[in-house]
Each structure stands twice: as structure tokens, then as C-alpha cells.
Amino acid sequence: MHSIAALQTIIGEALTERNFPDNPNTLYEPIKYFLAIGGKRLRPVLTLLAAELFGATIKEGLPAALAIEMFHNFTLMHDDIMDEAPLRRGRETIHKKWDINTAILSGDATLIRAYQLLAECKPELLAELLKVFNKMAQEVCEGQQLDMDFEKLATVTEEEYLHMIRLKTSVLLGAALEIGAILGGADKQDRSNLYTFGVNIGIAFQLQDDILDVYGDPSKFGKQVGGDIIENKKTYLLINALQLAKGSDKQELIHWTEINEFDQQQKIDRVTAIYNDLGIEKLAHKKKMSFAEQAYQALEVMAVAREKKLSLIEFTETLLIREH
Amino acid sequence: MHSIAALQTIIGEALTERNFPDNPNTLYEPIKYFLAIGGKRLRPVLTLLAAELFGATIKEGLPAALAIEMFHNFTLMHDDIMDEAPLRRGRETIHKKWDINTAILSGDATLIRAYQLLAECKPELLAELLKVFNKMAQEVCEGQQLDMDFEKLATVTEEEYLHMIRLKTSVLLGAALEIGAILGGADKQDRSNLYTFGVNIGIAFQLQDDILDVYGDPSKFGKQVGGDIIENKKTYLLINALQLAKGSDKQELIHWTEINEFDQQQKIDRVTAIYNDLGIEKLAHKKKMSFAEQAYQALEVMAVAREKKLSLIEFTETLLIREH
């Protein structure tokens, strides 16, 4: 089995080699620009890890891994428009650097490219691969829609929130792994366990994101600490704080989410203080660990030698204890 | 073989039966609304005609036919945003009735649904089906990009224009037919001939559109006659008129494309008069017929009994001599 770093290199090189055509440049230049912004290529790494876990070669796993990465980039391109995000990893987003129409069409072409890459897999596996990929793709759209819907709601329950992040971010990790397992010829049970592992790790990963936004080390966290607080983002932390706070704490928390004019640092400090009073970090950490636990249980029962699972466990640990 | 009307009914019913889920309603309601606006379902009819031509049943052809219709609707949803179109067949477009984000995500989910439907085809045909579908999908994006690029250019050549409409509208007709042929087990040569037939009919169809915009009967043409003239749309007619006009005619034509304030009817009348002087309608008609001729030649050599080709010819005739 290859190391994570080796797989990241393989994926990075493959993305450069199998590039898009030159014309129309107005369509393909933005895509090339966006792919070059990079990222850790976590999702295609999962596909290759799963493929190797069940005995497929890197060569066999690569097209599907790249399809997963293309799909992920398609969602980022379109989400950036919907979220009006000016920056992605410190670089201008496509709709900012070009315009909304360019970002729409670039996203469309990137999604279609994902399917082109998927179609390079063994013909006899295509039906199964498409089933998993298409279901995931539909759910990711549903998750993005729910996320946008939640912005307009006064309250969101913990259950609704967990359902949304399962769709928006976690099923992609599950599918990335299951697709690798299909390529390696894994049976239904192992496939299902690997999918469950991925989805639960994905939820834990998102909860870690919510925690880091408030409790991350500013010198290591890439974004502004407290960004979610400033935007009243209905994270696991805010949802539970609104649920648990009583009396003047609750009054103050609601006050901060309602006013439009405020000192950013003061808002971050005060909301964080209320979170601290309520023990929200511990609560979120506990929830995160319960999903990680479910993930490891699914991995545990999988019919693969323990030493083969180590790369996957190692990779997961780096995701869950990361500080950025 | 079924009649065109029978196939249209079958497709209409299948679209209603295999509807989208109810939740999230904010995602699926706009899609259902848009599909209900209707249209003639020309493209899925082509898929079913081709499938029957080579001996596949309607049941075998239906998922792919619906995939073609979904793909077409996806392009309309996103093109309407890019073109800032307020209406589609007299009804509000999604981005007008809801907002741009809704139209982006609805389009994405509709494209993914197209792939879900395609994946319902026989597993052993999926690799070939995907190859044809994906190539077409990529080319349609390229065509849309070129169309947008052309708006910003001072001049476009006839060759560039024909290349653009081939990609933006014609390859979809070619692929709709070829996919039907694949489902019927047609060989490579017949598939290729049917594709060529579809692409050339598609170009002829678009040229007919360009002609109807200027010379259509206002009582039968669904849109405003002269709409392309008002918008300076670089149609086959305008491109050739700018090429052929001389002296004061050329001056006047350029004048009409450059001024921002004008009386709409006067502009339409004067530009049409110049087209008439130059014999542009006849030129466009001749070009249209040359593509129709190429289409029929491709159909002629196809190894299928002549009587079986009749539905296809009948259908094509109604497309090419239509008045709306």
C-alpha cells in the first residue's frame, strides 16, 4: 500500500497530465485555474486507499479517484457562487475573477468531466459505480439546498443539522471509499461497512470544523477564528448553545444573533464565553467522538487484515486531530 | 413502430410518473415546475425512434430517452440564467420565479438525474452510452461558451457560427439518435450514419430558426418576429448580410447594430429590407437545404429497410418546414 503522501502526489500529477482541452479557452482556463488552487485531495486519496485495501492497483483506481476530485471541485465552484464567497484557499473564486456565468458553465463542465473519468473504469463495474456515484451526487445537491434553506430559518434542530451535513459533506467521503472498494471487488457487506465508515468520519470531520472555527489556534487555523460566530452560522455549537442557554445567557446569545451592527471581536468573545459557560466545546467533542466511534466499529468488522486498515486509520486520525 | 404523437404521449407520461422526490421541496419544486412547462419532447422522441428502428422496445429505450430530455432541460435552466431570459415558453424562468441560486442547483440536480436515468440502461451497454452522452454533454457546454463569447466579438465568420451551433444544439440531436441506435444493437457504421443525420438535421433546424425569426408568420411564430434583429444576434442572416452588403447598405446595417436608442419596428423593417436586397433568405434557405441533403444522404446509406426510416423522415420534415 502507498503512503498518503505518495497518493497525494500521484493524484496531483494525474490532474495535471489529464488536463482539459485548450479551446474554448474561456471555458477551460477557469477550470484549470480552480484545480490548480489545490487542496489536500483527501477524497481521491480515500478512493485509492480503498481500492488498494481490496487489491486493485493505483492504475485501476485512478480514473474514479479523479472523478471524485472533479465532482468535489464542481460543488465548490457552484457553492462559491451561491455563498457569494470571494475567496477559496486565499485565491479569488471563479465568479469573482471572471463572472457568475463563467462559474456556472465551468462547474457544469467539471461535473461532466467527472462522469467522463468514471466512464474510464472497467465496463463491467460501471452500473454499480454509477449507482453509488449518482446517489451521492443527488444527496450532495439536497444537502446544499438544506444548508441554504437553514440560513432562512429561525431555528434548526440538532437532528436537522446532522442530516444536512451528512448529505452535504459526508456521503461524498462514504462514496469515495465505496467506489474504491467496488474497484477492488469488495463484497456488498464490506462495501457497506466502508461507506458507513466514510459517512461517520465525514460527520466527525465537519463537527471538528465547527469546533475549530471557535477554538482553533489562530496561528494554525487558515481562516478567521470566530467566522461562523460573526455570520450566525447555525453550527452544531450555536444550535446547542441556543438550546441549552437559560436566562440572561440566552437573552444575550439571541441578542448577538439579531443585531446587525457590532464589534466583531466583542461578538466573538461574548459568544465564546457563553459557549464556555455551557460546556459546548466538550459537548461537540463528545458528539464528534461518538461518530468517530461508529466509524471505527464499521471498520472493525470489515473482512480485511488489520494491518491493511492502518493507512485508513492513520489518515483518519490526521483528519480528526488536525488544527486547520 | 409507434407514431410521433404516440411517442410524445409515452414520454410525457413517463416524465410525470418518474417524478422527483418531495424533499427538499425547495430543490425539487422548481424542477417539477420547469418540466411541466413542457415542449415538444423532440429529442427523446428521436431516441425512441432510433431504438425502434434497430429493434429495441420502447421499454428498453425509455430511460435513455428521458435522460436526453433531462439533459436538455438542464441546459435550458442554466442557459436561461446566463441569457437573463425572463420567460421560457411564456412562463417565468426558474431564476426569475425563484432566484439564481435555485436555478443553478435545480439545473445541477437535473443533470445528475439524467445520469441516473442513463444508468438504468442495460449494464453491458453503459460504457458505450456514456461515451456518446459525455462527449455530447461536453460539446454542448463548449457551444454555450462560444455563443456567449460571440456576443462580445465584433465579427463572427459563417464557419465559426456553424461550428458553434453544431456544438450548442446539433450534437444533442445526433447523440439522441445514436444512443437509441446503441440500445437497438446497431453496428458502428449505422450508429455513425444516424449521428451524422442528427447533427446535420440539427444545423438545418437552427438555420430554420434563424430564418423564422425574420420571415416567420407573426400569427404562427411563438416569439416576436425580428427579436434577433433587435438584439443584434449574430445569426446566419446577419453574419452573411454584413459580409455581402456594400456601400450605403453596409453603412446602414452597421449603424443599426451600433445604436442603442431606436424604434424597434423601424429597425426590424430596415434591416429586413437590406436582407431582402441581398437575397439573404434565399441564401439561408439554400444553406439549410444543403445540411438537410447531407442528413438524408447519411440516412440513405443506412442498412435499414426504407419503410422503417419513414417515421424519421416524416418527423424531420415537420421540423424543417415548421412555421413556429
Side-chain angles (χ1 to χ4, degrees), chain A residues 60-108:
Chain A
E60 287 167 329
L62 203 48
L66 297 176
I68 289 288
E69 182 65 10
M70 287 296 166
F71 179 83
H72 178 55
N73 278 276
F74 143 73
T75 63
L76 298 180
M77 290 175 190
H78 281 189
D79 287 4
D80 282 345
I81 307 172
M82 300 184 223
D83 302 342
E84 296 177 24
L87 298 174
R88 159 87 41 203
R89 295 188 197 107
R91 304 279 301 273
E92 272 186 299
T93 47
I94 295 183
H95 68 97
K96 256 306 201 201
K97 193 173 163 73
W98 285 272
D99 52 37
I100 288 181
N101 287 357
T102 302
I104 293 173
L105 204 56
S106 297
D108 293 344

Side-chain angles (χ1 to χ4, degrees), chain A residues 112 114-123 125-127 129-131 134, chain B residues 114-119 121-138 175 179 182 191:
Chain A
I112 290 162
Y115 280 101
Q116 287 177 332
L117 287 158
L118 202 63
E120 289 181 25
C121 297
K122 282 187 189 165
L125 298 177
L126 279 180
L129 292 170
L130 277 170
K131 205 192 265 176
N134 285 334
Chain B
Y115 280 102
Q116 286 176 333
L117 287 158
L118 202 63
C121 298
K122 281 187 190 165
E124 64 270 28
L125 298 176
L126 280 180
E128 279 304 301
L129 292 170
L130 277 171
K131 208 193 262 177
V132 173
F133 192 93
N134 285 334
K135 179 168 177 281
M136 172 279 291
Q138 182 184 345
I179 282 171
I182 293 171
R191 276 174 47 180

Side-chain angles (χ1 to χ4, degrees), chain A residues 143-256:
Chain A
Q144 171 65 9
Q145 184 66 53
L146 289 176
D147 196 15
M148 293 196 296
D149 291 349
F150 287 0
E151 278 177 32
K152 293 171 195 153
L153 294 180
T155 53
V156 171
T157 67
E158 177 180 324
E159 192 191 349
E160 288 169 334
Y161 178 71
L162 292 174
H163 176 63
M164 183 276 286
I165 62 172
R166 174 183 293 266
L167 296 179
K168 182 169 170 165
T169 69
S170 308
V171 295
L172 177 53
L173 274 67
L177 286 163
E178 186 173 0
I179 282 172
I182 293 171
L183 294 169
D187 67 23
K188 283 263 176 194
Q189 192 56 55
D190 284 345
R191 278 173 48 180
S192 164
N193 281 324
L194 206 50
Y195 179 82
T196 303
F197 169 77
V199 170
N200 284 299
I201 286 298
I203 298 173
F205 181 84
Q206 181 59 50
L207 292 173
Q208 173 73 358
D209 236 34
D210 288 1
I211 296 167
L212 279 179
D213 181 83
V214 180
Y215 295 103
D217 179 340
S219 68
K220 292 174 185 166
F221 192 54
K223 295 174 281 187
Q224 182 189 8
V225 168
D228 289 346
I229 291 176
I230 293 168
E231 290 173 29
N232 297 327
K233 203 145 192 281
K234 296 187 187 74
T235 66
Y236 187 86
L237 284 68
L238 180 57
I239 289 167
N240 276 285
L242 283 168
Q243 188 71 24
L244 293 172
K246 295 211 180 347
S248 63
D249 271 358
K250 181 153 194 163
Q251 299 275 316
E252 188 181 350
L253 199 53
I254 292 172
H255 166 77
W256 283 114

Side-chain angles (χ1 to χ4, degrees), chain A residues 21 23-24 26-28 71 74 78 81-83 99-102 104-105 108-109 111-113 115-116 119 123 126-127 130-131 134-135 137-138 141-142 144-146 148-149 152, chain B residues 21 23-24 26-28 71 74 78 81-83 99-102 104-105 108-109 111-113 115-116 119 123 126-127 130-131 134-135 137-138 141-142 144-146 148-149 152:
Chain A
N23 289 303
T26 39
L27 175 61
Y28 293 119
F71 179 83
F74 143 73
H78 281 189
I81 307 172
M82 300 184 223
D83 302 342
D99 52 37
I100 288 181
N101 287 357
T102 302
I104 293 173
L105 204 56
D108 293 344
L111 174 57
I112 290 162
R113 172 54 67 105
Y115 280 101
Q116 287 177 332
L126 279 180
L130 277 170
K131 205 192 265 176
N134 285 334
K135 177 167 178 280
Q138 180 184 346
C141 288
E142 292 175 356
Q144 171 65 9
Q145 184 66 53
L146 289 176
M148 293 196 296
D149 291 349
K152 293 171 195 153
Chain B
N23 289 304
T26 39
L27 174 62
Y28 294 119
F71 179 83
F74 142 72
H78 281 188
I81 308 173
M82 299 186 223
D83 303 342
D99 52 37
I100 289 182
N101 287 357
T102 302
I104 293 173
L105 204 55
D108 293 344
L111 174 57
I112 290 162
R113 171 55 66 106
Y115 280 102
Q116 286 176 333
L126 280 180
L130 277 171
K131 208 193 262 177
N134 285 334
K135 179 168 177 281
Q138 182 184 345
C141 288
E142 292 175 356
Q144 170 66 9
Q145 184 66 54
L146 289 176
M148 293 197 295
D149 291 349
K152 293 171 195 153

